[in-house]
Amino acid sequence: DAGVTQSPTHLIKTRGQHVTLRCSPISGHKSVSWYQQVLGQGPQFIFQYYEKEERGRGNFPDRFSARQFPNYSSELNVNALLLGDSALYLCASSADPDKAAFFGQGTRLTVV
Amino acid sequence: GEDVEQSLFLSVREGDSSVINCTYTDSSSTYLYWYKQEPGAGLQLLTYIFSNMDMKQDQRLTVLLNKKDKHLSLRIADTQTGDSAIYFCAETYTGGFKTIFGAGTRLFVKA
C-alpha cells in the first residue's frame, strides 16, 4: 500500500510568487492535514480537511489556502510568498480525524 | 493555552535505554503520539496512546501516560545507533481537528 505522497519534493520560488503543493492520502483515508515545519522546530498546524470540508485552521495568514478534492487528495496554496515561508510542508492523512495520522515525506519550499 | 514541551537533547550509549519526556497542557486531548524524524525526511509514526490508557508497549518501545501530571514518556530499550533522530511528542485535541507538536528531542546514540 502506498503511503502519503507529496509533490513536488523540492521547490524554489521567488518572493511574491504563488505556489501549489499537492498531497495524495493513503487509500481509504478521508482526512488530510497540512503542517509547516521551519528548521529546528516542530510542525505547526495549518489546515485540516475531512470529507472535502475544512474542519480546522491554524494561525496562518489568509495567503494560505487549501482544498480537498472528491478523491480526497488535497492542495495547499500559498500566495505572495515571503522569505519566512521557506519550510518543509508536511501532509498527513488519517481514516478520520479521530484516528492516528500518517505523514508524507514533505515538500521542501525555499523562497529566495 | 496549547503547548507541548520536550527537552531538546538526549545522549545515550548504544545498548542503554533512552527515556524521552514530554508534558502537554490539554487535559481533553484524545490521542498522544510519538513521531520520529531523520535528517531531511518526513515524520514516521512510532506509536500512539489513547488518553484512557496508562501504558502501551510495542517491541522496544514503551509509552507511559500520567494524565494527572499531563506527562508522556517514550522509553526505547536497547538503543541502537539507528535510533539517532529527532523525536516529537504530539497531542490531538478532542474532535481531532488539529495536532499540536513539541519542538522535538534530538537523540544522540554513542557507539
Side-chain angles (χ1 to χ4, degrees), chain A residues 12-33:
Chain A
I12 300 175
K13 289 286 191 178
T14 304
R15 276 178 297 177
Q17 285 189 313
H18 161 269
V19 70
T20 298
L21 310 181
R22 296 179 174 83
C23 172
S24 293
I26 292 171
S27 178
H29 284 191
K30 298 181 179 179
S31 176
V32 170
S33 299

Side-chain angles (χ1 to χ4, degrees), chain A:
Chain A
D1 249 355
V4 178
T5 57
Q6 293 185 242
S7 63
T9 53
H10 295 83
L11 201 51
I12 300 175
K13 289 286 191 178
T14 304
R15 276 178 297 177
Q17 285 189 313
H18 161 269
V19 70
T20 298
L21 310 181
R22 296 179 174 83
C23 172
S24 293
I26 292 171
S27 178
H29 284 191
K30 298 181 179 179
S31 176
V32 170
S33 299
W34 287 95
Y35 292 82
Q36 180 195 66
Q37 186 180 21
V38 173
L39 197 62
Q41 297 181 19
Q44 298 292 314
F45 171 75
I46 310 176
F47 287 109
Q48 187 197 66
Y49 278 78
Y50 177 61
E51 290 282 18
K52 302 178 285 292
E53 297 209 353
E54 181 185 304
R55 286 200 54 188
R57 172 185 285 255
N59 188 22
F60 280 80
D62 292 343
R63 299 185 295 108
F64 288 76
S65 63
R67 55 181 175 166
Q68 187 177 34
F69 298 99
N71 66 355
Y72 302 109
S73 67
S74 178
E75 282 182 355
L76 175 70
N77 295 283
V78 186
N79 292 323
L81 285 166
L82 303 173
L83 296 179
D85 296 330
S86 296
L88 180 67
Y89 287 84
L90 295 161
C91 173
S93 78
S94 57
D96 66 55
D98 288 331
K99 298 289 189 292
F102 295 85
F103 282 77
Q105 292 302 297
T107 294
R108 185 161 298 282
L109 172 66
T110 303
V111 182
V112 297

Side-chain angles (χ1 to χ4, degrees), chain A residues 35 37 40-43 45 48 55-57 88 90 97-105 108, chain B residues 30-31 33 35 37 40-43 45 48 88 92-99 101-103:
Chain A
Y35 292 82
Q37 186 180 21
Q41 297 181 19
F45 171 75
Q48 187 197 66
R55 286 200 54 188
R57 172 185 285 255
L88 180 67
L90 295 161
D98 288 331
K99 298 289 189 292
F102 295 85
F103 282 77
Q105 292 302 297
R108 185 161 298 282
Chain B
T30 51
Y31 283 99
Y33 302 89
Y35 287 89
Q37 188 175 39
L43 296 173
L45 177 63
Y48 61 94
F88 291 97
T92 295
Y93 279 62
T94 302
F97 78 93
K98 72 174 173 180
T99 299
F101 284 80

